[in-house]
Amino acid sequence: MSTATATVTGIPDGLAVQFATRTRALEGGHREWTAASRTASGAGRFRHKGRDYTSYQAAFILRTGRAPVGTVRPTCEHPRCCDPAHVDDQATRQRDRAALAAVKGMEHRAWSCNHDPEQHARHRANGKRYCAQCNRAADKPSCEHGNPPCADDEVRPYPCGPRCETHQPAKTRPYFTLAP
């Protein structure tokens, strides 16, 4: 499932046939991938007219006639369902979550970071908005020592947590790096 936006406009000739020969219908309107080739996440994959597709991307294109924006995922409870009616791209999911938040009367706080909300705004399953770029940066370890924490991102892992060179544990001092 590629996160890049493709430049497909309309449905490529023969895509529906290629998709149909590699899938089969299941009970409840679901569809499963029957071909052997799969991505690491388990989605089907194939090549059509020099372009790689996942089963989810092909299903989305067949339903909407446009290229997906961001990742395409199944929206139903059936694992790895690739029925065209059961897949949505990232833009559609974000739109639906924002609509759900509006219906529930959830008000979003003002955007508090400097990242572009058009590009980085996401919604959690409960409808709350967050910044994907800030969320990624939060996963990077930083020095938590000091008051307030120095937040230096040049850290080494220690049993007591990530520490910068200034705040390394006393038992490891002095920490020297070998010259090249």
Side-chain angles (χ1 to χ4, degrees), residues 51-146:
R51 185 179 183 281
D52 292 327
Y53 293 92
T54 66
S55 56
Y56 304 146
Q57 289 170 335
F60 183 83
I61 292 168
L62 290 174
R63 187 184 88 223
T64 64
R66 69 171 177 86
V69 175
T71 57
V72 182
R73 295 185 185 138
T75 57
C76 65
E77 72 285 346
H78 192 276
R80 299 189 186 111
C81 178
C82 60
D83 189 76
H86 297 177
V87 295
D88 274 328
D89 67 345
Q90 183 175 338
T92 306
R93 289 190 308 273
Q94 292 296 322
R95 182 201 66 212
D96 291 349
R97 288 181 186 141
L100 177 63
V103 168
K104 286 184 164 185
M106 298 173 73
E107 291 187 28
H108 292 302
R109 289 179 284 153
W111 198 251
S112 60
C113 68
N114 295 329
H115 298 115
D116 178 19
E118 290 293 321
Q119 184 178 4
H120 299 290
R122 303 287 186 274
H123 288 85
R124 300 194 190 288
N126 64 4
K128 290 187 178 181
R129 185 172 65 173
Y130 69 97
C131 174
Q133 188 64 28
C134 290
N135 205 39
R136 271 193 289 280
D139 293 341
K140 187 176 180 184
S142 63
C143 182
E144 301 160 354
H145 194 72

Side-chain angles (χ1 to χ4, degrees), residues 127-173:
K128 290 187 178 181
R129 185 172 65 173
Y130 69 97
C131 174
Q133 188 64 28
C134 290
N135 205 39
R136 271 193 289 280
D139 293 341
K140 187 176 180 184
S142 63
C143 182
E144 301 160 354
H145 194 72
N147 188 13
C150 78
D152 187 355
D153 61 353
E154 295 292 324
V155 296
R156 295 185 183 280
Y158 293 99
C160 57
R163 300 282 180 97
C164 66
E165 190 171 320
T166 305
H167 294 116
Q168 63 181 300
K171 289 183 179 180
T172 62
R173 288 182 197 259

